[in-house]
Amino acid sequence: MPGGQPGPQRATERASALSEPARAYAELADGNRRFVSGAPRHPNQDAEHRAAVADGQHPFAVIVGCSDSRLAAEIIFDRGLGDLFVVRTAGHIVGPEVLGSVEYAVTVLGTPLVVVLGHDSCGAVQAARETAATGTSPGGHLRTVVDAVLPSLRRATAEGVDDIDGIVDIHIAQTVEMLLGQSPVLADAVAQGRCAVVGVSYRLAAGGVRPVTPVPAGAATLDVPAAPDGPAAPAAA
Ligand SMILES: [Zn+2]
């Protein structure tokens, strides 16, 4: 194979380093810090690594993220080929295809961490908020997206939360609960300690990610210092 495979010892070390949910979470946190600080390493994006992972994948995290074009997982977590198993829908809504994709990664590939990735100013959440306020649903299949977010809107209302980013946090937590509630396979993996599910929120302007739900025990915090992108950085549109 061109480029060769990683040495067996190195591969074993890497697998063992990333096999625990907490280590996987710390790996994401490290990558996000590099991204925020403007010093990404762009790991695992070279031709040698591409060839090395061609025969099989062992991603250390599943990302269930919003489709927003500013939320590219490999970029914001500074990772490369074979690292992240990514499932994206507008507003990170969860349906059968999403559940099946997550279960594939967790049970077949043995991925130890599932991260629900939402973000501030999420358009899907804003659309659901408008629907809740006006009673007018959008047409076409966009309605499916809005309808899937509406339970989070109702929960936010019940909890007295009405700012958009507070609603986003609730929607992220709701998505975590939905994954666990609708996938006994995933819930079993979590109960056995083989996997963890964490909800995080990304800030579009600053680039940092913060946890919205509890992180795996022993994991370094994912809280990222204020982004060095200048005090003039505008709030996300
Ligand atoms: Zn979004």
Side-chain angles (χ1 to χ4, degrees):
M1 177 187 299
Q5 300 176 4
Q9 185 178 359
R10 183 179 164 199
T12 301
E13 285 171 4
R14 184 166 180 276
S16 105
L18 299 179
S19 61
E20 297 292 330
R23 299 298 295 267
Y25 186 85
E27 195 76 21
L28 285 181
D30 285 348
N32 185 240
R33 285 191 192 93
R34 295 194 297 272
F35 173 68
V36 168
S37 67
R41 288 195 288 109
H42 307 297
N44 299 337
Q45 296 183 17
D46 55 286
E48 182 180 359
H49 186 76
R50 183 181 69 223
V53 296
D55 285 342
Q57 59 171 328
H58 302 283
F60 68 86
V62 181
I63 308 293
V64 179
C66 180
S67 298
D68 192 294
S69 60
R70 300 160 292 184
L71 205 60
E74 282 86 355
I75 294 176
I76 71 170
F77 292 118
D78 192 28
R79 300 306 316 183
L81 300 174
D83 291 331
L84 307 177
F85 191 93
V86 182
V87 189
R88 294 173 71 177
T89 58
H92 46 84
I93 64 168
V94 172
E97 295 88 350
V98 172
L99 291 168
S101 300
V102 171
E103 290 182 0
Y104 173 77
V106 171
T107 63
V108 179
L109 304 179
T111 308
L113 178 68
V114 177
V115 169
V116 173
L117 175 65
H119 63 99
D120 55 353
S121 308
C122 182
V125 174
Q126 288 175 322
R129 193 189 197 192
E130 285 178 25
T131 292
T134 64
T136 306
S137 288
H141 292 290
L142 182 52
R143 180 172 184 164
T144 303
V145 174
V146 165
D147 285 351
V149 180
L150 282 176
S152 299
L153 259 292
R154 287 193 281 272
R155 180 167 159 185
T157 300
E159 295 180 9
V161 175
D162 63 0
D163 67 290
I164 185 65
D165 294 334
I167 297 170
V168 164
D169 282 4
I170 288 173
H171 181 52
I172 292 168
Q174 182 101 342
T175 304
V176 169
E177 291 172 19
M178 186 171 292
L179 287 174
L180 291 168
Q182 296 191 2
S183 173
V185 168
L186 178 61
D188 279 354
V190 171
Q192 294 169 12
R194 290 187 283 112
C195 186
V197 184
V198 180
V200 304
S201 185
Y202 174 79
R203 294 199 70 80
L204 293 173
V209 176
R210 65 177 165 77
V212 172
T213 66
V215 304
T221 177
L222 194 55
D223 282 321
V224 173
D229 54 0

